[in-house]
Amino acid sequence: MSLSTAVLSAWVAVAAGLGSGLSQDEEDLGWPREFRHSGRLIVVYQPQPETFEGDVITGRSAVSATLEGQTEPIFGAFWFEAFVETDRENRLVTVVNVDIPRVRFPDATEEQQREAAEILELEISTWDLVIDLDRLLTSLEAADRERLASEGLATDPPMVIVTSEPSLLVMLDGKAVLHDVEGTELQRVANTPFSIIYDRSANLYYLYAGEDVWFATNDLLGRWEISEDTPEHVVALIPAEVEGEDGEGEAEQSDVDIENLQIVVATEPTELIIVDGPPKYASIEGTDLLYVSNSESDVFLDIATQEFFIVLSGRWYKSASLDGPWSFLPSDSLPGDFTRIPPESARGSVLVYVAGTDQARDAVLDNSIPQTSAVKRDGTLEVTYDGEPKFEPIEGTEMSYAVNTEFQVLEIGGRYYVCHEAVWYESDSAVGRFEVSVQVPDQVQEIPPENPNYNVKYVYVYDSTPDVVYVGYTPGYAWSFIYGPTIVYGTGWWYRPWVSPFFFYPRPMTWGFHVAYNPWFGWSFGFGFGYGPFHFGFWGPSPWHRRGWWGPAGMRHGYHRGFHRGYSSGFRQGFRAGYAAGQRQSNIYNRQRNASRNVDRASARAQMPNRTGAAGGARSQAARGGQVQGGQRAQVSPDRPNNVYADRNGDVHRRNSDGSWQQRDRSGWSSSGQARDPNQQASSSDRSNLNRDHQARQRGAQRSQSYSTSRPSGGAGSRGRRR
């Protein structure tokens, strides 16, 4: 059998075995993967991505094929360019509709290589591949485009309150805004995500704490006490079960001493740091850093300078005293000992905010990877306003935006655009029906961070057919930004909400919600209430269903689980258990309310043209149906090391256990740099790149394993690393 025929059969078989039918629930997504077909053993080594822009990925992969009757495999490499579908929720990337612009088999004859290339270019375009997202992102270069897009974020510190008492921070967006509750003498405080009711007849404010617990005060900014006898007409406003969409909001049994819980109401950007009594300091091995061990917040003391450091919403601040004042410190200006904090230590989770660490680099890469979907092109959206539409200019641009609506409506060149639930819509009128847009105006990228619509610049339209629009968004849409060498939450700017006698439309806030980052599930939210799980309610009847305090409108991010499911141990260990459960529907496209607009991904792929213009799914099925008879499904090689790489020239190398490299030539493996063919010697830059690829591959495997162990058999996270 000729080389070209063997490789053709092998690769088409691999395409069938590594198709979209393989899922993480069915088998490990590790590498390399092997496939036997008609007596031939095919081994596919982990792809080495080179670029990831929008929904297009490029890269290369090493492969070997052991032909029937032979013991030595032939090695080669191919380059690919493909559309991808990203599932950040399950941390999977499906590569589809591949183009193969180049193939190379260094140990094949020139004629065999040319023949194989022609066949591979024709057939490998049918290849589908499921890749573990954590293995993928560690192999990618940092996304400079997104980093530059995040310039201009505000870094001024919020008010920092340090207290030694168990406390809850209740944020109001400015001075209290009271709205009448129809048919009663009651009013509700509209400009807070908490459920606060004002009884005018008794001159008392009531704060709903869940589990039939209420606090009361006659001074909103004063001291709150447990309410022993909350009036029935107040209690009646809260539904029996406080439950949000997608199963959010379930109550938890409390073990905190609520009798001594202090309610701290703030009307300006504020963060609360709770220390359980006088500060106790513990050392961090291998550093001259101390941390406050009796606080859930990240508070450090540098022994050398006697300065304190805290991290808030991903931003670092320092002070000579815990009482402040605090000043911003860029993440790459921290004392060097911060980079030496052991990842497994009690404060190892802060490494994600420390420039130069693997954890920070991984988070930056993760922040540049989109969540993708396919939606119906004929979808529509109805936009509502508080009265007639009111638009204001976006400073520094020729655009304007609607202020009296919860929708993000832009006026650009006389046409109107809405970004809603990570999909763009457009219309020639500000009112009436909006239709799904197939193109985002370039001007959107000019929106500055000072504007509350800044996040929509991270929602994209990649492609379209007469029936389907391919869309995606990066975490910037959920207000997670790359800022320099690390990530931060929120822009830091305060946005003016819309206030009227009947409506209050909040804008996203950076401060006041104890934001922390988890490498698997993104940003989480708490309220600094102290020690032990405790459930507060933030919802009530329909008029109370808040949206927009953090993330896009309607994206509540699992914040309630983040703080009431084991807060005291949570940011160390158990926190992710509750947070991961709350993030089951973190993918906006998969939320139940968006189901009707989605297109089945399998059928969408069949319609999507590949780079050569052919219908990917149809072509793939034809190839598989006609040429993959008797094949078996690809599986992870149980005993084969994942140590073979293709360099940028297509030469194949393997890394030995002692750290040395060998290069493949026609005579077999030789020490890298000592190849029998001088033209195939690996340069020092090649070896440097290969070492980098190896380190990234190792880190990706560790991340993948860590994520897998954080997921119970049911699929939602049960345990994981702190933040």
Side-chain angles (χ1 to χ4, degrees), residues 633-686:
R633 194 165 176 215
Q635 299 178 350
V636 177
S637 300
D639 303 316
R640 195 181 305 276
N642 188 25
N643 65 341
V644 178
Y645 302 76
D647 65 24
R648 294 184 182 274
N649 295 319
D651 294 318
V652 178
H653 306 259
R654 74 178 179 187
R655 189 179 191 277
N656 300 316
S657 58
D658 62 0
S660 63
W661 287 92
Q662 291 182 304
Q663 183 173 341
R664 185 76 180 190
D665 61 20
R666 296 178 184 177
S667 301
W669 294 104
S670 60
S671 296
S672 187
Q674 300 178 2
R676 295 176 178 85
D677 183 349
N679 294 324
Q680 292 185 343
Q681 290 184 4
S683 67
S684 59
S685 62
D686 287 336

Coordinates of all heavy atoms in Angstrom, one line a residue, residues 633-686:
R633 N -13.1 4.3 16.7 CA -13.1 5.6 17.2 C -11.7 6.0 17.8 O -11.1 5.1 18.5 CB -14.2 5.7 18.3 CG -14.5 7.1 18.7 CD -15.8 7.1 19.5 NE -16.1 8.4 20.0 CZ -16.6 8.6 21.1 NH1 -17.0 7.6 21.9 NH2 -16.9 9.8 21.5
A634 N -11.3 7.2 17.7 CA -10.0 7.6 18.3 C -10.2 7.7 19.8 O -11.2 8.1 20.3 CB -9.6 9.0 17.7
Q635 N -9.1 7.2 20.5 CA -9.1 7.3 21.9 C -7.7 7.8 22.4 O -6.7 7.8 21.6 CB -9.2 5.8 22.5 CG -10.6 5.2 22.1 CD -10.7 3.8 22.6 OE1 -9.7 3.2 23.1 NE2 -11.9 3.2 22.5
V636 N -7.7 8.3 23.6 CA -6.5 8.8 24.2 C -5.5 7.6 24.4 O -5.9 6.6 24.8 CB -6.8 9.5 25.6 CG1 -5.5 9.9 26.2 CG2 -7.7 10.6 25.4
S637 N -4.3 7.8 23.9 CA -3.3 6.8 24.1 C -3.0 6.6 25.5 O -2.5 7.5 26.2 CB -2.0 7.1 23.3 OG -2.3 7.3 21.9
P638 N -3.2 5.4 26.1 CA -3.0 5.2 27.5 C -1.6 5.3 28.0 O -1.3 5.8 29.1 CB -3.7 3.9 27.8 CG -3.5 3.1 26.5 CD -3.7 4.2 25.4
D639 N -0.7 4.8 27.2 CA 0.7 4.7 27.7 C 1.7 5.6 26.9 O 2.9 5.6 27.2 CB 1.2 3.2 27.6 CG 0.3 2.3 28.4 OD1 -0.1 2.7 29.6 OD2 -0.1 1.3 27.9
R640 N 1.2 6.3 25.9 CA 2.1 7.0 25.0 C 2.3 8.4 25.6 O 1.3 9.1 25.8 CB 1.5 7.1 23.6 CG 2.5 7.5 22.5 CD 1.8 7.5 21.2 NE 1.2 6.3 20.9 CZ 1.8 5.2 20.3 NH1 3.1 5.3 20.0 NH2 1.2 4.1 20.0
P641 N 3.5 8.9 25.7 CA 3.7 10.2 26.3 C 3.3 11.3 25.3 O 3.5 11.1 24.0 CB 5.2 10.3 26.6 CG 5.8 9.3 25.6 CD 4.8 8.2 25.5
N642 N 2.8 12.4 25.8 CA 2.4 13.5 24.9 C 3.6 14.4 24.7 O 3.6 15.6 25.1 CB 1.3 14.3 25.6 CG 0.6 15.3 24.7 OD1 0.7 15.2 23.5 ND2 0.1 16.4 25.4
N643 N 4.6 13.9 24.0 CA 5.9 14.6 24.0 C 6.4 14.9 22.6 O 7.6 15.1 22.3 CB 7.0 13.8 24.7 CG 7.3 12.5 24.1 OD1 6.5 12.0 23.3 ND2 8.4 11.9 24.4
V644 N 5.6 14.8 21.6 CA 6.0 15.0 20.2 C 5.4 16.4 19.7 O 4.2 16.6 19.9 CB 5.5 13.9 19.3 CG1 5.9 14.2 17.8 CG2 6.1 12.6 19.7
Y645 N 6.2 17.2 19.0 CA 5.8 18.5 18.6 C 6.3 18.7 17.2 O 7.2 18.2 16.7 CB 6.5 19.6 19.5 CG 6.2 19.4 21.0 CD1 6.8 18.5 21.8 CD2 5.4 20.3 21.6 CE1 6.6 18.3 23.1 CE2 5.1 20.2 23.0 CZ 5.7 19.2 23.7 OH 5.4 19.1 25.1
A646 N 5.5 19.6 16.5 CA 6.0 20.1 15.2 C 6.4 21.6 15.4 O 5.7 22.4 16.0 CB 4.8 20.0 14.2
D647 N 7.6 21.9 14.9 CA 8.1 23.3 15.0 C 7.4 24.1 13.8 O 6.7 23.6 13.0 CB 9.6 23.4 15.0 CG 10.2 22.9 13.7 OD1 9.6 22.9 12.6 OD2 11.4 22.5 13.7
R648 N 7.8 25.3 13.8 CA 7.1 26.2 12.8 C 7.5 25.9 11.4 O 6.9 26.4 10.4 CB 7.4 27.7 13.1 CG 6.8 28.1 14.4 CD 7.0 29.6 14.7 NE 6.4 30.0 16.0 CZ 5.1 30.3 16.2 NH1 4.3 30.3 15.2 NH2 4.7 30.6 17.4
N649 N 8.6 25.1 11.2 CA 9.0 24.7 9.9 C 8.3 23.4 9.5 O 8.5 22.9 8.3 CB 10.5 24.6 9.8 CG 11.2 25.9 9.9 OD1 10.7 26.9 9.4 ND2 12.3 25.9 10.7
G650 N 7.7 22.7 10.4 CA 7.1 21.4 10.1 C 8.0 20.2 10.5 O 7.6 19.1 10.3
D651 N 9.2 20.5 11.0 CA 10.0 19.4 11.5 C 9.5 18.9 12.8 O 8.9 19.6 13.6 CB 11.5 19.9 11.7 CG 12.1 20.3 10.4 OD1 11.9 19.6 9.4 OD2 12.8 21.4 10.4
V652 N 9.6 17.6 13.0 CA 9.0 16.9 14.2 C 10.1 16.6 15.2 O 11.2 16.2 14.9 CB 8.3 15.6 13.7 CG1 7.8 14.8 14.9 CG2 7.3 15.9 12.7
H653 N 9.8 17.0 16.5 CA 10.7 16.8 17.6 C 10.0 16.1 18.7 O 8.8 16.1 18.8 CB 11.2 18.2 18.1 CG 11.8 19.1 17.0 ND1 13.1 19.2 16.9 CD2 11.2 19.8 16.1 CE1 13.3 20.1 15.9 NE2 12.2 20.4 15.4
R654 N 10.8 15.4 19.5 CA 10.2 14.9 20.8 C 11.1 15.2 21.9 O 12.4 15.4 21.8 CB 10.1 13.3 20.7 CG 11.4 12.5 20.8 CD 11.1 11.0 20.7 NE 12.3 10.2 20.8 CZ 12.4 8.9 20.6 NH1 11.2 8.3 20.4 NH2 13.5 8.3 20.7
R655 N 10.5 15.4 23.1 CA 11.2 15.8 24.3 C 11.4 14.6 25.2 O 10.4 13.9 25.5 CB 10.4 16.9 25.0 CG 11.2 17.5 26.2 CD 10.4 18.6 26.9 NE 11.2 19.4 27.8 CZ 11.4 19.1 29.1 NH1 10.9 17.9 29.5 NH2 12.1 19.8 29.8
N656 N 12.6 14.3 25.6 CA 12.9 13.2 26.4 C 12.7 13.5 27.9 O 12.6 14.7 28.3 CB 14.3 12.7 26.2 CG 14.5 12.3 24.8 OD1 13.7 11.6 24.2 ND2 15.7 12.7 24.2
S657 N 12.6 12.5 28.7 CA 12.4 12.7 30.2 C 13.4 13.5 30.9 O 13.2 14.2 31.9 CB 12.2 11.4 30.9 OG 13.4 10.6 30.7
D658 N 14.7 13.6 30.3 CA 15.7 14.3 30.9 C 15.8 15.8 30.4 O 16.7 16.5 30.8 CB 17.1 13.7 30.7 CG 17.4 13.6 29.2 OD1 16.6 14.0 28.3 OD2 18.5 13.1 28.8
G659 N 14.8 16.2 29.6 CA 14.7 17.5 29.1 C 15.4 17.8 27.8 O 15.3 18.9 27.2
S660 N 16.1 16.8 27.3 CA 16.7 16.9 26.0 C 15.7 16.7 24.8 O 14.7 16.2 25.0 CB 17.9 15.9 25.8 OG 17.4 14.6 25.8
W661 N 16.1 17.2 23.7 CA 15.3 17.1 22.5 C 15.9 16.3 21.4 O 17.1 16.3 21.2 CB 15.0 18.5 21.9 CG 14.1 19.4 22.7 CD1 14.4 20.2 23.7 CD2 12.7 19.4 22.7 NE1 13.3 20.8 24.3 CE2 12.2 20.3 23.7 CE3 11.7 18.7 21.9 CZ2 10.9 20.6 23.9 CZ3 10.4 19.0 22.1 CH2 10.0 19.9 23.1
Q662 N 15.1 15.5 20.7 CA 15.5 14.8 19.5 C 14.6 15.2 18.3 O 13.5 15.5 18.5 CB 15.4 13.3 19.7 CG 16.4 12.7 20.7 CD 16.2 11.3 20.9 OE1 15.2 10.8 21.2 NE2 17.3 10.5 20.7
Q663 N 15.3 15.2 17.2 CA 14.6 15.6 15.9 C 14.4 14.4 15.0 O 15.3 13.5 14.9 CB 15.4 16.7 15.2 CG 14.7 17.2 14.0 CD 15.4 18.4 13.4 OE1 16.2 19.1 14.1 NE2 15.2 18.7 12.1
R664 N 13.3 14.3 14.3 CA 13.1 13.2 13.4 C 13.6 13.5 12.0 O 13.3 14.5 11.5 CB 11.6 12.9 13.4 CG 11.2 11.7 12.6 CD 11.5 10.4 13.3 NE 11.1 9.2 12.5 CZ 11.1 8.0 13.0 NH1 11.4 7.8 14.3 NH2 10.8 7.0 12.3
D665 N 14.4 12.5 11.5 CA 14.8 12.6 10.1 C 14.5 11.3 9.5 O 13.9 10.4 10.1 CB 16.2 13.1 9.9 CG 17.2 12.1 10.6 OD1 16.9 10.9 10.8 OD2 18.4 12.5 10.8
R666 N 14.9 11.1 8.2 CA 14.6 9.8 7.5 C 15.3 8.6 8.2 O 14.8 7.5 7.9 CB 15.1 10.0 6.1 CG 14.3 11.1 5.3 CD 14.8 11.2 3.9 NE 14.2 12.3 3.2 CZ 14.5 12.7 2.0 NH1 15.4 12.1 1.3 NH2 13.8 13.7 1.5
S667 N 16.3 8.8 9.0 CA 17.0 7.7 9.6 C 16.5 7.4 11.0 O 17.0 6.5 11.6 CB 18.5 8.0 9.6 OG 19.0 8.2 8.3
G668 N 15.6 8.2 11.5 CA 15.1 8.0 12.8 C 15.2 9.2 13.7 O 15.3 10.4 13.2
W669 N 15.4 9.0 15.0 CA 15.5 10.1 16.0 C 17.0 10.4 16.2 O 17.8 9.5 16.4 CB 14.9 9.8 17.3 CG 13.4 9.7 17.2 CD1 12.7 8.5 17.2 CD2 12.4 10.7 17.1 NE1 11.3 8.8 17.1 CE2 11.1 10.1 17.1 CE3 12.5 12.1 17.1 CZ2 10.0 10.9 17.0 CZ3 11.4 12.9 17.0 CH2 10.1 12.3 16.9
S670 N 17.4 11.7 16.2 CA 18.7 12.1 16.5 C 18.7 13.3 17.5 O 17.7 14.0 17.5 CB 19.5 12.5 15.2 OG 18.8 13.6 14.6
S671 N 19.7 13.5 18.2 CA 19.8 14.6 19.2 C 19.5 15.9 18.4 O 20.1 16.2 17.4 CB 21.1 14.7 19.9 OG 21.3 13.5 20.7
S672 N 18.7 16.8 19.0 CA 18.3 18.0 18.3 C 19.6 18.8 18.2 O 20.4 19.0 19.1 CB 17.3 18.8 19.2 OG 16.9 19.9 18.5
G673 N 19.9 19.3 17.0 CA 21.1 20.1 16.7 C 22.2 19.2 16.1 O 23.2 19.6 15.7
Q674 N 22.0 17.8 16.1 CA 22.9 16.9 15.6 C 22.3 16.0 14.6 O 22.6 14.8 14.5 CB 23.5 16.1 16.7 CG 24.3 16.9 17.8 CD 24.8 16.1 18.9 OE1 24.7 14.8 18.9 NE2 25.4 16.7 19.8
A675 N 21.3 16.5 13.9 CA 20.6 15.7 12.9 C 21.5 15.2 11.8 O 22.5 15.9 11.4 CB 19.4 16.5 12.2
R676 N 21.3 14.0 11.3 CA 22.2 13.5 10.2 C 22.1 14.4 9.0 O 23.1 14.5 8.2 CB 21.7 12.1 9.9 CG 22.0 11.1 11.1 CD 21.4 9.7 10.8 NE 21.7 8.8 11.9 CZ 20.9 8.6 12.9 NH1 19.8 9.4 13.0 NH2 21.1 7.8 13.9
D677 N 21.0 15.0 8.7 CA 20.8 15.9 7.6 C 21.1 17.3 8.2 O 20.2 17.8 8.9 CB 19.4 15.8 7.0 CG 19.3 16.7 5.8 OD1 20.2 17.6 5.6 OD2 18.3 16.6 5.1
P678 N 22.2 18.0 7.8 CA 22.5 19.3 8.4 C 21.3 20.3 8.2 O 21.2 21.3 8.9 CB 23.7 19.8 7.7 CG 24.4 18.5 7.2 CD 23.2 17.6 6.9
N679 N 20.6 20.1 7.1 CA 19.5 21.1 6.8 C 18.3 20.9 7.8 O 17.4 21.8 7.8 CB 19.0 20.9 5.4 CG 20.0 21.2 4.3 OD1 20.8 22.2 4.5 ND2 20.1 20.4 3.2
Q680 N 18.4 19.9 8.6 CA 17.3 19.6 9.5 C 17.7 19.9 10.9 O 16.9 19.6 11.9 CB 16.8 18.2 9.4 CG 16.1 17.9 8.1 CD 15.5 16.5 8.0 OE1 15.8 15.7 8.8 NE2 14.6 16.3 7.1
Q681 N 18.8 20.5 11.2 CA 19.2 20.8 12.5 C 18.3 21.9 13.1 O 17.9 22.9 12.5 CB 20.7 21.3 12.6 CG 21.7 20.2 12.2 CD 23.1 20.7 12.3 OE1 23.3 21.8 12.8 NE2 24.1 19.8 12.0
A682 N 18.0 21.7 14.4 CA 17.1 22.6 15.1 C 17.9 23.8 15.6 O 19.0 23.6 16.3 CB 16.4 21.9 16.3
S683 N 17.5 25.0 15.4 CA 18.2 26.2 15.8 C 17.9 26.4 17.3 O 16.9 25.8 17.9 CB 17.8 27.4 15.0 OG 16.4 27.7 15.3
S684 N 18.6 27.3 18.0 CA 18.4 27.6 19.4 C 17.0 28.2 19.5 O 16.4 28.0 20.5 CB 19.5 28.5 19.9 OG 19.5 29.7 19.2
S685 N 16.6 29.1 18.6 CA 15.3 29.7 18.7 C 14.2 28.6 18.5 O 13.2 28.7 19.2 CB 15.1 30.7 17.6 OG 15.2 30.2 16.3
D686 N 14.4 27.6 17.7 CA 13.5 26.5 17.6 C 13.3 25.8 18.9 O 12.2 25.5 19.4 CB 13.9 25.5 16.5 CG 13.7 26.0 15.1 OD1 12.8 26.9 14.9 OD2 14.3 25.6 14.2

